[in-house]
Amino acid sequence: MTLTIWIDLIYLLAAVAFIVALKGLSSPKQARNGNLLAAGAAIVAVGATFFNPEAQFSSHTTNLILAIVAMVLGAVIAVPVARMVKMTAMPQLVAIFNGVGGGAAALISITVFLQHSDSAAKPAVYTIAEVLLGLLIGCVSFSGSAIAFAKLQELMTGRPITYPAQQVINGLVGVAIVALALATLLTGSVTLMVITAVLSLVLGIIFVLPIGGADVPVLISLLNSFTGLAVAASGFTLDNNLLIIAGTLVGASGILLTRMMSKAMGRSLSNVLFSAFGSVVTAAGGADGTGETRQVKTGTPEDIGVLLAYARKVVIIPGYGLAVAQAQHTARELADLLMERGVEVFYAIHPVAGRMPGHMNVLLAEANVPYDELKEMDEANPEMATADVALVVGANDTVNPAAKNTPGSPIYGMPIINADEAEHVIFLKRSMRPGFAGIDNELLFNEKTTLLFGDAKDTLAKLVAGVQEA
Amino acid sequence: MTLTIWIDLIYLLAAVAFIVALKGLSSPKQARNGNLLAAGAAIVAVGATFFNPEAQFSSHTTNLILAIVAMVLGAVIAVPVARMVKMTAMPQLVAIFNGVGGGAAALISITVFLQHSDSAAKPAVYTIAEVLLGLLIGCVSFSGSAIAFAKLQELMTGRPITYPAQQVINGLVGVAIVALALATLLTGSVTLMVITAVLSLVLGIIFVLPIGGADVPVLISLLNSFTGLAVAASGFTLDNNLLIIAGTLVGASGILLTRMMSKAMGRSLSNVLFSAFGSVVTAAGGADGTGETRQVKTGTPEDIGVLLAYARKVVIIPGYGLAVAQAQHTARELADLLMERGVEVFYAIHPVAGRMPGHMNVLLAEANVPYDELKEMDEANPEMATADVALVVGANDTVNPAAKNTPGSPIYGMPIINADEAEHVIFLKRSMRPGFAGIDNELLFNEKTTLLFGDAKDTLAKLVAGVQEA
Amino acid sequence: MSTTGILEFLTIFILAIFVGNEVVARVPSILHTPLMSGSNAIHGIVLVGAMIIMGTATGTAQIILGFFAVLLATLNIVGGFTVTDRMLEMFKSKPGDGPPRGGSKSKSADAEGGAK
Amino acid sequence: MSTTGILEFLTIFILAIFVGNEVVARVPSILHTPLMSGSNAIHGIVLVGAMIIMGTATGTAQIILGFFAVLLATLNIVGGFTVTDRMLEMFKSKPGDGPPRGGSKSKSADAEGGAK
Ligand SMILES: NC(=O)c1ccc[n+]([C@@H]2O[C@H](COP(=O)([O-])OP(=O)(O)OC[C@H]3O[C@@H](n4cnc5c(N)ncnc54)[C@H](OP(=O)(O)O)[C@@H]3O)[C@@H](O)[C@H]2O)c1
Ligand SMILES: NC(=O)c1ccc[n+]([C@@H]2O[C@H](COP(=O)([O-])OP(=O)(O)OC[C@H]3O[C@@H](n4cnc5c(N)ncnc54)[C@H](OP(=O)(O)O)[C@@H]3O)[C@@H](O)[C@H]2O)c1
């Protein structure tokens, strides 16, 4: 009894630590400490659980050993993967770690369900309802994250997969799940429970299919929030305040975060989830970019180097291509070189440049670019008109004026970085292919614009040389 | 049992409503709705309590009748007082309503204590600890608020009342209370409990005595937070989630609010509470202001009217005197008149002008001054240098350059409105007496400055006439 | 169960601290006073506690204490909400909409008359 | 008591919603991804639940389920915190302090050499 109190107190402290950590994670200065605090709290809470009388480890030595084996195995897999994966692969990594969390919650629900159906005493209705809720959400999160992972890892196409009456079918599956869950609730049948679980897995898949690769990070955030709710449901099932608080925290903050993310892309959450955004692409832009006949202007690294070297103000606009090319260090080198020559240089960061929010900040921070050289879009835009050169490195949609001028365009209404206001625009990209939204960019054909084709890392290195020679 | 669940659900909803209401109260647009929501929730919760099985009203009709009598009596007293009291008397009104709340919490604690000492079963230690905590905090809040009321209502001097070794004595009383509370906890003696209560009342009084009248609003905010904690303690005592949540909300937000208030005055909370701020006054400034021999410049309403009428930009800086004179409507009239003539006019609002935070905003809003004519200090200050006239209406400390120039001064470090940067400064006040901090204002003797003595409402009306004639 | 009960209450208490802190973290100084007054009214919900005490009171002493607890709590809650509403009544986003204030008008008329 | 228990849990749940919402309300977009990743790690605390399930599991089916629950939850919590830390490692307030990146330096030397 006394031990239970102590363990519960430890859980409560861990919950408080999680709140404080989440607060920390929301502020640039405290973010890392916040994460470490949460990790520390998690270790303490997990450690305490070995002594939790509820877990009955003292009388179930085999179970204890198996638990330790599973934990060691998990850690041995997770740490190297998390440490070694490339920065550009972060989103899919988060997806997969999120999915397994949902899976764990679902497995907990299944086990508790089996325990209840084994025992003679009939549990209260709401107990089973909580179990089913955890099962359902956990399964959706698990399979949804798996598909999200496959899309980002390019194990399958990143394009939205659509078929006729898609939303209707998805809706029907949802209704079927609710009906089955109710039937399970009333009958307590294990078979029905398994069918519900399987259908929930299916729902997770078909829910994610129509979402385009570029929107997947928003989706992952939503699934993250789902897993949080599934964990909270597990907490209700197990009468565990720590799981309730931690799960709910993530669930509530995750939904808010998801909305902020889609807002940063100039779209509503329902638009992201249900509009199969990007499916028009195949028809319109064409993935090969060979259909293009209009004239564009290209330049040599030497010409552009001179232009940069004698500019007063250069704005570097990084995008997804910078990440793909891992060109952040070379970009920094170019910027440093220009600054040495007295050129005013800053980076204009669009909130959804790259493939996950904050992607550019992470990359540029990795390259040790000082904070004060980074300007958020709102801060950068008023300065664009006075810039001599806008150097667009592997960005496309985030500088596409169609967002301002073309009401029919799928990105219409999204705020962009006004590269077109600068006196000269330089594009570093490999081809005429469009960006992730799959639409043409009028700015490429603008007379202000000069293109330099090639992998961003190479072309930037050439520009470094060009500036040095200038 | 089922009834209990419903009642508890209603309480939970009320608690949620309180949170939402508090959120609303923190945003200018939602503030009034927030308050109405909280009031509605309170009515529903109180109504539900009549049916709460815990309250046993169904079997105790006399108690029910007496409760209703007390409630009607309370409402009959509270509504007219709250409706009719002058705007300037708001702070003391809040103080008294806060104090009675603390008193109620204390009375609840006493009654529960008596019930426990009547019953045979010995309650858990923490139960009594909760009771004593509620008693202690409630008593401090009650008597402290009473003294705060007396100070603001000028039933006693607003000056800090100090005596040698004051903080030491207060500390000793505090220690004695803790010791007595522990003794009460161990013995369960009613006598000891009563002594603890009385000493707590004494502590509330001596805690407030050294705090000067101008600092009392901050103090009230702190006592408000105390009452919240006392109510939370009552909630623990009665196992009532609604009281716990509502009380804690107020307790936690109140402490934050208190710190923000003292920060707005450029001082730390401990400085406000323990420095007997303003006690130097009697020695330095002198309350009668007759000791002044230096020359000041006074003007006629006609002269100043011309100055105002032909200015390009006039900044009105209202202060406590505007509130005392109830001159907000006349000030608005003058402003409107000047604007009709094409003069640019705005009000520069210092965060602690007046006697409670936001005091000026409330008054000017009452006079229907549009929001966009009000500028907060930070927004107003950069404009002061380009103003032709700074019209200081009943303000003093909040424009006193000593806060910037005189390191020894008690207000040194407080941000002020830089009236001294304007080309002309007009002071409307009744005499050479200082403001609430009780220190001289060098700006009165500045050669830019013209004084117009008299009640602010009268002098403003004269200026209106002066402008019309100009 | 009563010992786990206290932990649940403690949890609620701690969460409420966070909520209370966060919710007012961004209040502009113009609303300091209404917020203080409004939260003052909210803790008037101690009336619910006072009513429970009053209902279960036995013996003269307890009944008198309970009566005053209800009375004081009612003063707090009724007075608190009323005074807060009165303060907030004055914050109108479009001041032009309100009816012109009679007092101020007549007063200004006086002033003008006197001066001209 | 179990019915009042559920109300307590509900209360905790609702309060946690408010806390979760308020706490991230002001997150700058630069931290969206680390925040998502960090909160992903936090829900990995489901490991505690998985351990309890594992400890009380009886019969092969339950033990297998419990084993995988613990395994998956461990992946979530360990991987989540590690990857978040790696992301945040890169946010240094004074980038000049860090040791220069070998990779970038040598690469730039190559580029220079090649061009000149
Ligand atoms: N950040 C987020 O959270 C997030 C989330 C979901 C969706 N999105 C979406 O992602 C898009 C981001 O916009 P963005 O401007 O950053 O990128 P983008 O519009 O996707 O354009 C990226 C460009 O980089 C070029 N590129 C690719 N690899 C390259 C390499 N190795 N070297 C040089 N160039 C390379 C590509 O052209 P080539 O193939 O011709 O080289 C492409 O045009 C937006 O549509 C946004 O809505 C972002
Ligand atoms: N707002 C808050 O929350 C708060 C809280 C606590 C303390 N305080 C303190 O209160 C002070 C507020 O500064 P303040 O500049 O607003 O006021 P102040 O410094 O107190 O000055 C008020 C001035 O108004 C004049 N006055 C009084 N009645 C008048 C009338 N009927 N007509 C014309 N003038 C009249 C007084 O001079 P005469 O007597 O010569 O007329 C006095 O000099 C600060 O020291 C602040 O720290 C404010």
Side-chain angles (χ1 to χ4, degrees):
Chain A
M1 194 66 215
T2 332
L3 185 55
T4 310
I5 283 275
W6 282 111
I7 302 240
D8 282 351
L9 260 182
I10 290 179
Y11 286 168
L12 179 54
L13 285 180
V16 170
F18 284 161
I19 298 176
V20 174
L22 210 57
K23 246 177 116 150
L25 278 168
S26 312
S27 99
K29 276 193 196 149
Q30 292 301 318
R32 198 166 178 206
N33 290 339
N35 188 53
L36 292 179
L37 175 65
I43 290 174
V44 172
V46 169
T49 307
F50 282 113
F51 305 96
N52 191 337
E54 269 182 72
Q56 300 176 7
F57 280 126
S58 48
S59 51
H60 293 65
T61 323
T62 333
N63 296 22
L64 173 61
I65 293 173
L66 282 173
I68 294 178
V69 169
M71 289 168 74
V72 170
L73 200 62
V76 164
I77 299 172
V79 173
V81 171
R83 279 263 148 235
M84 260 126 66
V85 100
K86 279 190 301 178
M87 270 320 281
T88 40
M90 288 276 168
Q92 46 268 53
L93 203 61
V94 175
I96 210 69
F97 287 143
N98 176 58
V100 292
L107 292 179
I108 291 177
S109 288
I110 296 178
T111 317
V112 172
F113 190 91
L114 294 180
Q115 286 174 350
H116 279 308
S117 71
D118 282 0
S119 83
K122 206 175 164 336
V125 173
Y126 66 77
T127 308
I128 298 297
E130 289 160 6
V131 169
L132 290 174
L133 218 61
L135 177 66
L136 221 146
I137 310 178
C139 283
V140 169
S141 185
F142 179 73
S143 62
S145 299
I147 300 295
F149 172 79
K151 288 200 174 206
L152 290 177
Q153 192 67 22
E154 291 172 16
L155 301 180
M156 59 182 289
T157 171
R159 291 274 147 77
I161 295 174
T162 53
Y163 41 85
Q166 188 163 34
Q167 299 307 334
V168 177
I169 294 175
N170 291 6
L172 287 179
V173 174
V175 171
I177 290 175
V178 172
L180 274 165
L182 282 177
T184 316
L185 193 62
L186 296 176
T187 62
S189 147
V190 174
T191 323
L192 280 179
M193 182 272 287
V194 171
I195 301 180
T196 314
V198 171
L199 258 193
S200 301
L201 289 172
V202 171
L203 181 64
I205 296 171
I206 60 180
F207 173 65
V208 174
L209 281 184
I211 297 172
D215 288 340
V216 169
V218 179
L219 174 82
I220 294 175
S221 174
L222 185 70
L223 292 175
N224 183 37
S225 162
F226 281 4
T227 305
L229 293 178
V231 172
S234 300
F236 274 99
T237 304
L238 300 171
D239 280 5
N240 187 311
N241 280 337
L242 175 56
L243 296 200
I244 298 183
I245 296 177
T248 312
L249 273 183
V250 176
S253 65
I255 286 176
L256 189 64
L257 183 60
T258 308
R259 293 180 54 203
M260 292 195 276
M261 281 187 184
S262 42
K263 210 173 127 197
M265 294 168 66
R267 297 162 61 199
S268 74
L269 181 54
S270 68
N271 181 284
V272 168
L273 296 181
F274 301 121
S275 73
F277 186 77
S279 51
V280 263
V281 172
T282 344
D288 51 4
T290 48
E292 199 54 64
T293 52
R294 286 163 68 194
Q295 208 51 52
V296 295
K297 190 168 70 194
T298 58
T300 66
E302 289 71 28
D303 293 346
I304 301 174
V306 171
L307 179 66
L308 291 172
Y310 294 100
R312 275 174 304 104
K313 187 166 170 180
V314 172
V315 182
I316 302 180
I317 305 170
Y320 177 63
L322 180 93
V324 174
Q326 285 288 314
Q328 61 270 33
H329 296 106
T330 323
R332 187 192 168 186
E333 213 180 317
L334 179 63
D336 285 351
L337 188 61
L338 289 172
M339 278 186 275
E340 268 166 37
R341 297 181 68 116
V343 183
E344 183 188 345
V345 181
F346 67 87
Y347 299 79
I349 312 287
H350 191 282
V352 297
R355 286 296 174 267
M356 52 181 191
H359 203 163
M360 288 304 125
N361 298 76
V362 172
L363 282 179
L364 294 171
E366 190 205 10
N368 282 334
V369 171
Y371 265 133
D372 49 12
E373 291 172 20
L374 308 183
K375 296 202 178 168
E376 303 266 332
M377 177 174 61
D378 294 336
E379 209 187 331
N381 268 340
E383 300 216 30
M384 293 311 299
T386 59
D388 299 306
V389 184
L391 180 63
V392 183
V393 185
N396 198 338
D397 300 341
T398 49
V399 295
N400 191 339
K404 288 190 294 191
N405 314 331
T406 317
S409 165
I411 63 167
Y412 185 67
M414 176 173 95
I416 59 162
I417 299 207
N418 300 327
D420 51 343
E421 290 181 1
E423 212 178 310
H424 299 275
V425 182
I426 311 288
F427 264 94
L428 304 188
K429 64 201 300 290
R430 297 164 308 176
S431 67
M432 288 304 290
R433 275 195 292 269
F436 235 71
I439 48 167
D440 283 340
N441 187 347
E442 204 51 45
L443 188 57
L444 293 173
F445 306 100
N446 193 306
E447 56 176 18
K448 286 181 181 178
T449 301
T450 311
L451 280 93
L452 179 57
F453 287 119
D455 181 78
K457 196 167 185 171
D458 294 341
T459 47
L460 279 172
K462 285 185 193 146
L463 288 183
V464 167
V467 170
Q468 276 166 338
E469 277 171 13
Chain B
M1 196 63 212
T2 331
L3 186 56
T4 310
I5 283 275
W6 283 110
I7 303 246
D8 281 351
L9 261 182
I10 291 179
Y11 286 168
L12 179 54
L13 284 181
V16 170
F18 284 160
I19 298 177
V20 175
L22 209 57
K23 244 176 117 150
L25 278 167
S26 312
S27 98
K29 276 191 193 151
Q30 292 300 321
R32 199 169 178 203
N33 291 339
N35 188 54
L36 292 178
L37 175 65
I43 290 173
V44 172
V46 168
T49 307
F50 282 113
F51 305 96
N52 191 336
E54 268 182 71
Q56 300 177 5
F57 279 127
S58 49
S59 51
H60 293 67
T61 325
T62 334
N63 294 23
L64 173 61
I65 294 174
L66 281 174
I68 294 179
V69 170
M71 288 167 75
V72 170
L73 200 62
V76 164
I77 300 173
V79 173
V81 170
R83 280 260 147 238
M84 262 127 64
V85 100
K86 279 189 301 177
M87 271 319 282
T88 39
M90 288 276 168
Q92 47 265 54
L93 203 61
V94 174
I96 210 70
F97 288 143
N98 175 56
V100 291
L107 291 180
I108 291 177
S109 288
I110 296 178
T111 318
V112 172
F113 191 92
L114 294 180
Q115 286 174 350
H116 279 308
S117 71
D118 282 1
S119 82
K122 209 177 161 337
V125 174
Y126 67 75
T127 309
I128 298 297
E130 289 160 6
V131 169
L132 290 174
L133 217 60
L135 176 68
L136 220 146
I137 310 178
C139 283
V140 168
S141 186
F142 179 74
S143 62
S145 300
I147 300 296
F149 172 80
K151 287 200 175 206
L152 291 176
Q153 194 66 20
E154 291 172 16
L155 301 179
M156 59 185 287
T157 171
R159 290 272 147 80
I161 295 175
T162 52
Y163 41 85
Q166 189 162 33
Q167 298 308 338
V168 177
I169 295 175
N170 291 7
L172 287 178
V173 174
V175 171
I177 290 176
V178 171
L180 274 165
L182 283 177
T184 316
L185 194 64
L186 296 176
T187 62
S189 147
V190 174
T191 323
L192 280 179
M193 183 272 288
V194 171
I195 300 181
T196 313
V198 171
L199 255 195
S200 301
L201 290 171
V202 171
L203 180 64
I205 296 172
I206 60 179
F207 173 64
V208 174
L209 280 183
I211 297 172
D215 289 339
V216 168
V218 179
L219 174 80
I220 294 175
S221 174
L222 185 69
L223 292 174
N224 183 38
S225 163
F226 281 4
T227 306
L229 293 179
V231 172
S234 300
F236 274 99
T237 305
L238 301 170
D239 279 4
N240 187 308
N241 279 339
L242 176 57
L243 295 200
I244 297 183
I245 296 177
T248 312
L249 272 183
V250 176
S253 65
I255 286 177
L256 190 63
L257 182 61
T258 308
R259 291 181 52 203
M260 292 196 275
M261 282 187 182
S262 42
K263 210 172 127 195
M265 293 167 67
R267 295 163 61 200
S268 74
L269 181 54
S270 68
N271 181 284
V272 168
L273 296 180
F274 301 121
S275 73
F277 186 76
S279 53
V280 262
V281 171
T282 346
D288 51 5
T290 47
E292 201 52 64
T293 51
R294 286 162 68 192
Q295 207 55 48
V296 295
K297 190 168 69 193
T298 59
T300 66
E302 291 71 27
D303 294 344
I304 300 174
V306 172
L307 178 66
L308 290 173
Y310 295 101
R312 276 173 304 103
K313 186 163 168 182
V314 172
V315 182
I316 302 180
I317 304 168
Y320 178 65
L322 180 96
V324 174
Q326 285 290 312
Q328 61 269 35
H329 297 105
T330 322
R332 185 191 170 187
E333 213 179 317
L334 178 64
D336 286 351
L337 188 61
L338 289 173
M339 278 185 274
E340 271 166 36
R341 298 181 67 118
V343 182
E344 182 189 345
V345 182
F346 67 86
Y347 299 79
I349 312 287
H350 191 282
V352 296
R355 284 297 173 269
M356 50 181 193
H359 203 164
M360 288 303 125
N361 299 74
V362 172
L363 282 179
L364 294 171
E366 189 205 13
N368 281 335
V369 171
Y371 265 133
D372 50 13
E373 292 172 20
L374 307 184
K375 296 202 178 168
E376 303 267 332
M377 178 175 62
D378 294 335
E379 209 186 333
N381 267 341
E383 300 216 30
M384 294 311 299
T386 61
D388 299 308
V389 184
L391 180 64
V392 183
V393 185
N396 199 336
D397 299 341
T398 51
V399 295
N400 192 339
K404 290 190 293 190
N405 314 332
T406 318
S409 165
I411 62 168
Y412 185 67
M414 175 173 94
I416 59 162
I417 299 206
N418 301 327
D420 51 343
E421 290 181 358
E423 211 177 312
H424 299 275
V425 182
I426 312 287
F427 265 93
L428 305 187
K429 63 200 304 287
R430 297 165 308 175
S431 68
M432 288 304 290
R433 273 193 295 268
F436 232 73
I439 49 167
D440 284 341
N441 187 347
E442 204 51 43
L443 188 57
L444 293 172
F445 306 101
N446 192 306
E447 56 177 19
K448 287 181 182 178
T449 302
T450 312
L451 281 93
L452 179 57
F453 286 119
D455 181 78
K457 196 166 185 172
D458 293 342
T459 47
L460 279 171
K462 285 185 193 146
L463 288 184
V464 168
V467 170
Q468 277 165 338
E469 278 173 12
Chain C
M1 196 64 202
S2 83
T3 28
T4 51
I6 185 78
L7 254 170
E8 244 83 78
F9 289 127
L10 195 63
T11 308
I12 291 172
F13 174 68
I14 289 178
L15 287 177
I17 291 180
F18 279 102
V19 176
N21 248 308
E22 291 298 324
V23 148
V24 306
R26 280 148 293 172
V27 58
S29 68
I30 163 177
L31 282 177
H32 282 177
T33 299
L35 180 64
M36 166 163 80
S37 176
S39 60
N40 173 33
I42 286 177
H43 68 48
I45 199 64
V46 71
L47 175 56
V48 165
M51 286 170 74
I52 293 175
I53 286 299
M54 180 73 218
T56 53
T58 47
T60 324
Q62 287 184 18
I63 289 191
I64 293 181
L65 287 169
F67 181 86
F68 278 102
V70 173
L71 178 63
L72 294 187
T74 308
L75 284 174
N76 180 350
I77 198 165
V78 174
F81 281 119
T82 313
V83 85
T84 309
D85 189 58
R86 213 178 128 204
M87 273 182 205
L88 292 170
E89 217 169 40
M90 295 166 183
F91 289 87
K92 300 203 194 72
S93 45
K94 279 193 185 172
D97 296 352
R101 299 252 156 187
S104 124
K105 285 279 154 178
S106 64
K107 185 68 199 168
S108 75
D110 287 352
E112 280 168 41
K116 273 191 176 156
Chain D
M1 197 61 204
S2 83
T3 29
T4 50
I6 186 77
L7 254 169
E8 243 83 76
F9 289 127
L10 194 65
T11 309
I12 291 173
F13 174 67
I14 290 178
L15 287 177
I17 290 180
F18 279 102
V19 176
N21 248 309
E22 291 297 324
V23 149
V24 307
R26 280 149 294 171
V27 58
S29 68
I30 162 179
L31 282 178
H32 281 177
T33 299
L35 180 63
M36 167 165 79
S37 175
S39 59
N40 173 35
I42 286 178
H43 67 49
I45 199 65
V46 70
L47 176 56
V48 165
M51 287 170 76
I52 292 176
I53 286 299
M54 181 72 217
T56 54
T58 47
T60 323
Q62 287 184 19
I63 287 191
I64 293 180
L65 287 169
F67 181 85
F68 278 102
V70 172
L71 177 63
L72 295 187
T74 307
L75 285 173
N76 181 349
I77 199 165
V78 174
F81 281 119
T82 312
V83 86
T84 310
D85 189 57
R86 212 178 128 203
M87 274 183 206
L88 292 170
E89 217 169 40
M90 295 165 183
F91 289 86
K92 301 206 194 70
S93 46
K94 281 195 187 168
D97 295 353
R101 298 251 157 191
S104 123
K105 283 283 157 177
S106 62
K107 184 70 201 165
S108 76
D110 287 353
E112 280 169 40
K116 276 195 176 154

